[in-house]
Amino acid sequence: MPDCRKIRPADRYAGLQGFTYDAGLAAETVGSTAICMHLLTVPPGGRAKAHKHATHETAIYQLTGRAVMYWGDRLQHRMETEAGDLIYIPADVPHLPTNPGPEPCTAVIARTDPNEQESVVLLPELEHLVPH
């Protein structure tokens, strides 16, 4: 029987999306096989690279701050979020989150990919569609 595990997010890593993440639960840290979960703090003015997660869903619980996420094939949709919101991103949906606010934005992020960075597909051809 596998062991239950507990970790504290102490290590940080640079994600392909352009943000620095606090290491969380993933295949690499606890041996998970179907899920990952980590913390993300986006600084004021922070912006991800346009990307999608191939074949993996994402669930987000926003703890602090405000954010704006652009999503869709041409990033044509805009979603404003704030502390207390739950956000769902289906697999293979292009998106680009930003923090236009004056304070950091912190969230718990879970994905159906145990290897958090393996399903990230960068979409540089969409970068120009979202104003800086």
Side-chain angles (χ1 to χ4, degrees):
M1 173 181 285
D3 290 334
C4 293
R5 303 277 308 273
K6 174 181 83 171
I7 66 168
R8 288 196 172 265
D11 295 329
R12 303 194 90 195
Y13 66 93
L16 297 172
Q17 305 93 312
F19 290 143
T20 299
Y21 294 84
D22 292 319
L25 306 174
E28 298 84 358
T29 58
V30 297
S32 62
T33 60
I35 193 169
C36 74
M37 183 173 73
H38 56 272
L39 296 173
L40 170 64
T41 299
V42 181
R47 170 189 164 116
K49 297 176 182 176
H51 66 283
K52 65 181 182 177
H53 300 272
T55 69
H56 294 286
E57 298 171 299
T58 301
I60 301 168
Y61 178 63
Q62 191 164 329
L63 298 169
T64 65
R66 295 182 177 272
V68 175
M69 183 180 71
Y70 297 88
W71 61 278
D73 289 339
R74 304 290 299 158
L75 302 177
Q76 70 272 25
H77 305 290
R78 183 177 190 275
M79 177 188 298
E80 294 186 19
T81 64
E82 61 185 31
D85 287 343
L86 291 164
I87 301 104
Y88 169 71
I89 304 172
D92 290 311
V93 172
H95 56 285
L96 187 159
T98 68
N99 177 0
E103 64 184 46
C105 177
T106 304
V108 175
I109 300 176
R111 289 199 189 87
T112 57
D113 180 357
N115 301 293
E116 196 278 323
Q117 291 288 294
E118 285 187 12
S119 71
V120 175
V121 177
L122 296 178
L123 302 167
E125 67 277 12
L126 301 181
E127 291 288 325
H128 72 281
L129 299 174
V130 174
H132 282 275

